[in-house]
Amino acid sequence: RIPNVSVAYDADWEAHGHMDRAVELAREWCVERAIAGLTVSVERLPGRTPVLLCDIPAFGAAASSDRTVLLYGHLDKQPPMHGWRAGLGPWEPVIEDGRLYGRGGADDGYATFASLAAIEALQAAGASHARCVVIAECSEESGSPDLPAHLQALGDRIGNPSLVVCLDSGCATYD
């Protein structure tokens, strides 16, 4: 329901507050997860969009504490496109015949929810996993101009991932 369009489409994103609402919604959901050792923070740099950061220590008997898996996603949206059917629109989610319709249902915030839900399920099943870091940025739909600065600022906290799972981004080249 939050019309949180990316910075390239909303120059006044800070004043409108949609991005902060979207980040806070995701943050609140994250902190409610039954995940051992989970820490959740919202990271801010002056003049840049925020980043949601979740850090989950290695878990289980076979867990490797010297490995880190970085799971990446984003919380910003593109502007809505035209052509919504009557009764359906970009900012009002609707469940019809078991399917979710609405902007952001299969993009944007799903990466955060999917990542933590998977980790929560692993732990509930007693499975082991390496340390996981989930990062959700808020400028991906604008080409991620703020992500490099955040990664640099968070480098010591993220560490040196042995695996990066990118849940939604472009791939201009494989280099």
Side-chain angles (χ1 to χ4, degrees), residues 23-85:
V23 169
E24 183 57 18
L25 180 140
R27 187 199 68 75
E28 287 176 1
W29 185 87
C30 292
V31 300
E32 293 175 359
R33 307 292 26 104
I35 297 175
L38 169 66
T39 61
V40 181
S41 63
V42 176
E43 304 298 324
R44 298 183 186 277
L45 294 172
R48 301 207 181 262
T49 56
V51 160
L52 180 67
L53 183 72
C54 302
D55 196 335
I56 302 106
F59 179 84
S64 171
S65 59
D66 62 342
R67 294 188 56 220
T68 297
V69 175
L70 176 65
L71 298 111
Y72 161 88
H74 68 98
L75 294 166
D76 57 318
K77 296 176 176 72
Q78 295 178 10
M81 297 176 219
H82 299 286
W84 292 86
R85 192 181 80 213

Side-chain angles (χ1 to χ4, degrees), residues 8 12 15 33 44 51 56 66 81 99 112 115 119 131 166:
D12 293 326
R33 307 292 26 104
R44 298 183 186 277
V51 160
I56 302 106
D66 62 342
M81 297 176 219
R99 294 186 174 131
T112 302
S115 296
I119 294 165
R131 174 179 176 245
C166 184

Side-chain angles (χ1 to χ4, degrees), residues 4-8 10-20 44-45 47-50 138 146:
N4 176 36
V5 295
S6 195
V7 297
D10 183 3
D12 293 326
W13 64 270
E14 274 187 290
H16 292 145
H18 302 307
M19 192 168 297
D20 284 334
R44 298 183 186 277
L45 294 172
R48 301 207 181 262
T49 56
C138 290
D146 296 339

Side-chain angles (χ1 to χ4, degrees), residues 68-73 110-111 115 133-135 161-168:
T68 297
V69 175
L70 176 65
L71 298 111
Y72 161 88
Y110 90 91
S115 296
V133 175
V134 179
I135 187 167
S162 55
L163 174 65
V164 176
V165 179
C166 184
L167 296 152
D168 189 25

